[in-house]
Amino acid sequence: MVRTFFRKLLRYLSSDDDDSDDDLYEDVEEQCTRKRRKFIRRNHIQGHERLYRDYFAENPVYPSNLFRRRFRMSRPLFLHILNEVVANEPYFVQRRDNIGRLGLSSMQKITAALRMLAYGVSADFMDEYIRIGESTAMESLKKFCETIVSIFSSEYLRSPNTNDITRLLAVADQRGFPGMLGSIDCMHWKWKNCPTAWKGMYSGHIREPTIILEAVASYDLWIWYAFFGMPGSHNDINVLERSFVFTELAQGRAPPVNYTVNGHDYTMGYYLADGIYPKWQTFVKTIPSPRGNKNKHFAKAQESARKDVERAFGVLQQRFAIIRGPSRMFKLKVLTNIMKACVILHNMIIEDERDDGDSLNIEYDQLDDDLPELSRTQTNEFMDFIQRCLLIKDSSAHHQLQEDLIEHQWLLYSQQ
């Protein structure tokens, strides 16, 4: 284009024709029009006012049930999240530009981010309603997920404390599995825009690039542990070897779990798992080909209770469609923040909608949560660490616990 322009300029200088002057001006104007960036007047104020009247006014257009369905959470919870995000991230504070015009409000940016998480739509899908551009919507999504992870991870992605373990053990005892802390399993998230050089590493049994989420969920679908980022070519055992699910237990910093089954005392809680997981003391698996009424009843009860984590994955994907479909992001760090943010919001919704009237009447022992830290200098503590790791992977204790649970389940069944 530049060479063509200079050729015409030389012809103009060497020509005496008056028409060449008009042609030159037309070419200059055409090139300037092509390079000029088109500005879209979206009227941010009108978009904010429409959003406020529809959902946040004193008498909104849409009632609370439609707000819950479209935002995946109640209005008070959304306002709580909005206030915390605005207080900790200056990006979501409404500003004025150089000529004094108000920009996008925090409500518009966070609504666009939540709609993208909830519906899994593209960045420019909400432009017509919220009046937000594609690049701004993408930046709002990334900033929102990063801020959610930094603010709420310590509260909604933590390990269970003493009170939580007391509640989980009480519910597990009622379900016929004393000592159970939840169920563990893995979920794959398709990565559509995986770099070509990484596709072989991230492609597993489904022949498409995926990223694995390992999670532990309890009976109320609360996700107590989430480990995300392993390539999809790994299986559940490889993910387990690299995860941190038993780190606190091996270091002696986990709250104590003491229970008795069939006359035997145990000091480690366990998770219900499927057949691929190893035979450790901290896992209770089903019986592949049960023989006899006792084994059949135990296998049925174990597989029924283990569905907690499968239900948690289903509810998580139903609430946030962005992790149900193939991801269109390019960077693994952004995908990690999106997955963690969805898990945190999932737990916040469960806590907000939990019915306190249906909870168990449990008297908690308020113990000191300052558990001892593992030292790296004393040999005795290092040997204790090795001993605890060996106890976690004790296969004989795994078989003994399984036999005790079989007898315990059959005893409860016979009493009924």
Side-chain angles (χ1 to χ4, degrees), residues 361-415:
N361 294 325
I362 303 174
E363 295 182 0
Y364 298 111
D365 295 331
Q366 300 295 338
L367 302 179
D368 189 5
D369 291 336
D370 297 333
L371 299 172
E373 296 287 341
L374 181 66
S375 175
R376 299 183 180 180
T377 58
Q378 298 182 9
T379 307
N380 293 334
E381 293 189 4
F382 179 73
M383 295 304 296
D384 292 340
F385 171 77
I386 298 298
Q387 187 65 26
R388 282 190 290 267
C389 291
L390 294 177
L391 289 176
I392 292 174
K393 301 181 179 181
D394 190 1
S395 59
S396 61
H398 166 81
H399 291 291
Q400 182 64 45
L401 177 59
Q402 189 179 45
E403 292 177 1
D404 292 338
L405 287 174
I406 292 174
E407 295 294 335
H408 182 72
Q409 283 282 345
W410 185 251
L411 178 61
L412 294 178
Y413 179 73
S414 61
Q415 291 177 355

Side-chain angles (χ1 to χ4, degrees), residues 215-273:
V216 173
S218 57
Y219 69 98
D220 56 353
L221 307 185
W222 184 287
I223 298 178
W224 293 102
Y225 171 80
F227 176 69
F228 179 78
M230 291 294 295
S233 58
H234 293 273
N235 56 24
D236 295 1
I237 299 178
N238 304 138
V239 178
L240 176 65
E241 293 291 342
R242 291 164 176 79
S243 65
F244 308 98
V245 62
F246 296 124
T247 300
E248 293 186 354
L249 181 61
Q251 294 179 354
R253 297 188 291 110
V257 179
N258 300 312
Y259 60 96
T260 302
V261 183
N262 197 28
H264 295 89
D265 297 331
Y266 295 93
T267 59
M268 287 186 181
Y270 60 86
Y271 301 123
L272 300 183

Side-chain angles (χ1 to χ4, degrees), residues 48-96:
H48 171 76
E49 292 176 353
R50 183 189 300 112
L51 179 64
Y52 181 81
R53 290 194 305 267
D54 288 346
Y55 295 103
F56 301 98
E58 184 176 357
N59 294 316
V61 176
Y62 300 102
S64 59
N65 61 333
L66 291 180
F67 185 98
R68 167 64 180 80
R69 187 173 69 182
R70 295 171 182 175
F71 286 81
R72 301 298 192 264
M73 62 185 68
S74 63
R75 187 181 292 108
L77 178 59
F78 176 86
L79 295 177
H80 168 67
I81 294 175
L82 184 143
N83 293 331
E84 292 293 333
V85 169
V86 172
N88 290 272
E89 178 53 55
Y91 173 79
F92 293 96
V93 178
Q94 189 176 22
R95 296 186 179 89
R96 295 182 180 273

Side-chain angles (χ1 to χ4, degrees), residues 81-272:
I81 294 175
L82 184 143
N83 293 331
E84 292 293 333
V85 169
V86 172
N88 290 272
E89 178 53 55
Y91 173 79
F92 293 96
V93 178
Q94 189 176 22
R95 296 186 179 89
R96 295 182 180 273
D97 57 12
N98 293 332
I99 62 175
R101 294 179 303 184
L102 280 173
L104 291 166
S105 65
S106 58
M107 197 173 293
Q108 290 173 282
K109 293 180 179 179
I110 295 179
T111 300
L114 270 178
R115 290 292 180 91
M116 293 175 65
L117 292 177
Y119 293 99
V121 294
S122 58
D124 59 347
F125 181 78
M126 300 301 299
D127 189 8
E128 298 176 353
Y129 176 67
I130 301 181
R131 303 294 183 180
I132 184 171
E134 179 181 3
S135 59
T136 308
M138 285 298 302
E139 188 175 4
S140 300
L141 174 65
K142 296 176 182 178
K143 290 282 187 181
F144 177 74
C145 294
E146 184 179 357
T147 307
I148 288 293
V149 172
S150 62
I151 297 175
F152 299 105
S153 288
S154 58
E155 183 177 358
Y156 293 97
L157 267 185
R158 58 174 176 82
S159 301
N161 54 27
T162 304
N163 294 342
D164 297 326
I165 288 179
T166 304
R167 177 172 54 87
L168 293 175
L169 292 180
V171 175
D173 190 35
Q174 293 182 357
R175 303 175 70 183
F177 287 94
M180 181 185 68
L181 298 178
S183 305
I184 186 171
D185 203 356
C186 292
M187 181 189 78
H188 289 252
W189 185 18
K190 291 183 181 181
W191 191 4
K192 178 182 178 181
N193 291 332
C194 175
T196 305
W198 293 0
K199 284 189 176 180
M201 179 175 61
Y202 280 85
S203 298
H205 61 281
I206 62 174
R207 308 300 181 185
E208 293 183 8
T210 59
I211 310 176
I212 302 177
L213 168 68
E214 183 187 56
V216 173
S218 57
Y219 69 98
D220 56 353
L221 307 185
W222 184 287
I223 298 178
W224 293 102
Y225 171 80
F227 176 69
F228 179 78
M230 291 294 295
S233 58
H234 293 273
N235 56 24
D236 295 1
I237 299 178
N238 304 138
V239 178
L240 176 65
E241 293 291 342
R242 291 164 176 79
S243 65
F244 308 98
V245 62
F246 296 124
T247 300
E248 293 186 354
L249 181 61
Q251 294 179 354
R253 297 188 291 110
V257 179
N258 300 312
Y259 60 96
T260 302
V261 183
N262 197 28
H264 295 89
D265 297 331
Y266 295 93
T267 59
M268 287 186 181
Y270 60 86
Y271 301 123
L272 300 183

